[in-house]
């Protein structure tokens, strides 16, 4: 049996690769400008047809292929404005009052708390509820959570470079709220054979990536849908009127 020539073998290999990639054969390189890496599908590392592993993992952590999460310094002035805005209207505005009440019920219905080292193997929904329960145990007021949700939505609207995809907002809401009560912290005092006391600390944090961020963010975002729609512009106006201008970088 005759063996195919070198050129024929290369064409055959290229045809097989084209068939493997399917209609997305042209997307052999990551779609993010300047990246240049192979897509996960082209590199046979996964099924992502347009992005490399690095940017797929970036999206899992931040909700965007390219935009990192907001820094606390970026979010702080918007939280200040939203907290003041919500505090002024919590008793009289029906949308804000309903969001606070619904958020309280979400925290109460979250169930028991579990320590961070025992979360492995649980579903994303279960782990998200444990995150909400941790907020309840730490005594985080529902009104504060509503203010943070509103602040994240306002920052995205004000930032011309922020992604407008709902996924990004959902993940950023989860990250901002989760900072209020993240992980499990334990302190023990032990005594050695000489009677000397030592303090031992344990700080365990759940992995901040994947479906858990989306599930917890969705649970925090849904009670505030009407507040986001009706009051983001008001928060921005409040910040512009009463907030201090940010220092030029």
């Amino acid at each position: 049996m005759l063996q195919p020539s070198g050129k024929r073998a290369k064409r055959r290999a290229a045809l097989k690769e084209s068939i493997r990639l399917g209609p997305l054969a042209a997307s052999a390189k990551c779609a993010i400008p300047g990246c240049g890496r192979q897509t996960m599908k082209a590199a046979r590392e996964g099924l992502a047809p347009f992005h490399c592993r690095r940017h797929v993992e970036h999206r899992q952590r931040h909700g965007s292929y390219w935009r990192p999460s907001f820094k606390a310094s970026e979010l702080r002035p918007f939280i200040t404005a939203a907290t003041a805005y919500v505090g002024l209207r919590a008793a009289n505005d029906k949308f804000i009052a309903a969001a606070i009440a619904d958020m309280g019920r979400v925290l109460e219905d979250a169930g028991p708390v579990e320590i961070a080292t025992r979360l492995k193997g649980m579903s994303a929904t279960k782990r998200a509820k444990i995150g909400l329960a941790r907020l309840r145990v730490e005594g985080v007021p529902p009104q504060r959570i509503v203010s943070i949700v509103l602040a994240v939505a306002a920052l995205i609207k004000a930032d011309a470079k922020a992604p407008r995809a709902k996924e990004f907002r959902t993940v950023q809401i989860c990250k901002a709220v989760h900072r209020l009560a993240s992980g499990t912290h334990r302190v023990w005092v032990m005594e050695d054979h000489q009677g000397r006391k030592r303090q031992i600390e344990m700080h365990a944090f759940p992995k901040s990536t994947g479906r858990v961020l989306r599930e917890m963010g969705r649970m925090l975002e849904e009670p505030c849908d009407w507040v986001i729609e009706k009051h983001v512009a008001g928060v921005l106006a409040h910040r512009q009127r009463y907030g201090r201008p940010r220092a030029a970088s």
Side-chain angles (χ1 to χ4, degrees):
M1 181 177 179
L2 295 176
Q3 296 295 326
S5 65
K7 290 184 179 180
R8 287 183 61 192
K10 289 181 180 179
R11 286 199 298 268
R12 181 175 294 181
L15 178 60
K16 287 182 178 179
E17 183 69 5
S18 178
I19 293 172
R20 185 183 69 82
L21 290 174
L24 303 174
S27 301
K29 298 295 183 181
C30 182
I32 301 301
C35 177
R37 297 180 184 87
Q38 283 187 308
T39 64
M40 290 185 69
K41 191 171 184 182
R44 301 187 181 185
E45 296 177 336
L47 298 176
F50 295 112
H51 298 90
C52 65
R53 176 181 291 277
R54 178 178 176 181
H55 285 105
V56 168
E57 291 176 350
H58 189 279
R59 179 192 174 193
Q60 290 297 308
R61 292 192 302 271
H62 303 286
S64 167
Y65 286 112
W66 53 273
R67 179 63 161 88
S69 294
F70 293 127
K71 298 178 182 178
S73 58
E74 293 178 286
L75 193 54
R76 190 177 299 116
F78 290 87
I79 291 179
T80 301
T83 300
Y85 183 90
V86 170
L88 290 171
R89 292 162 176 78
N92 301 317
D93 186 274
K94 62 181 180 180
F95 298 110
I96 293 177
I100 294 171
D102 290 345
M103 190 66 71
R105 284 190 286 271
V106 168
L107 299 182
E108 288 299 323
D109 294 342
V113 175
E114 188 60 83
I115 64 175
T117 54
R118 297 178 183 172
L119 300 180
K120 188 175 181 180
M122 294 184 182
S123 68
T125 301
K126 178 65 175 176
R127 294 175 68 174
K129 288 185 176 181
I130 290 173
L132 295 177
R134 193 175 289 115
L135 294 169
R136 183 192 68 233
V137 170
E138 291 295 326
V140 178
Q143 183 169 324
R144 187 178 182 190
I145 298 175
V146 172
S147 299
I148 293 174
V149 173
L150 197 52
V152 172
L155 175 53
I156 291 174
K157 187 175 180 65
D159 187 349
K161 297 181 179 180
R164 292 311 191 250
K166 192 173 186 294
E167 179 187 13
F168 181 72
R169 187 179 77 183
T170 301
V171 170
Q172 293 306 304
I173 286 171
C174 178
K175 282 181 167 287
V177 174
H178 198 237
R179 292 176 189 144
L180 302 177
S182 175
T184 300
H185 310 277
R186 295 285 187 271
V187 178
W188 298 274
V189 176
M190 298 188 67
E191 188 173 323
D192 62 17
H193 66 285
Q194 295 181 346
R196 294 175 299 187
K197 293 183 178 180
R198 265 192 325 168
Q199 181 172 293
I200 299 176
E201 300 182 6
M202 182 195 77
H203 303 283
F205 296 89
K207 193 174 181 181
S208 181
T209 186
R211 282 188 57 209
V212 179
L213 290 179
R214 279 81 178 158
E215 285 294 319
M216 185 173 173
R218 178 185 59 79
M219 294 174 184
L220 294 167
E221 191 176 21
E222 284 182 352
C224 303
D225 281 343
W226 279 104
V227 171
I228 292 172
E229 182 175 338
K230 300 292 183 181
H231 290 292
V232 165
V235 171
L236 293 174
H238 186 92
R239 177 176 177 268
Q240 186 175 8
R241 183 174 181 181
Y242 298 104
R244 292 179 296 179
R246 297 175 62 183
S249 56

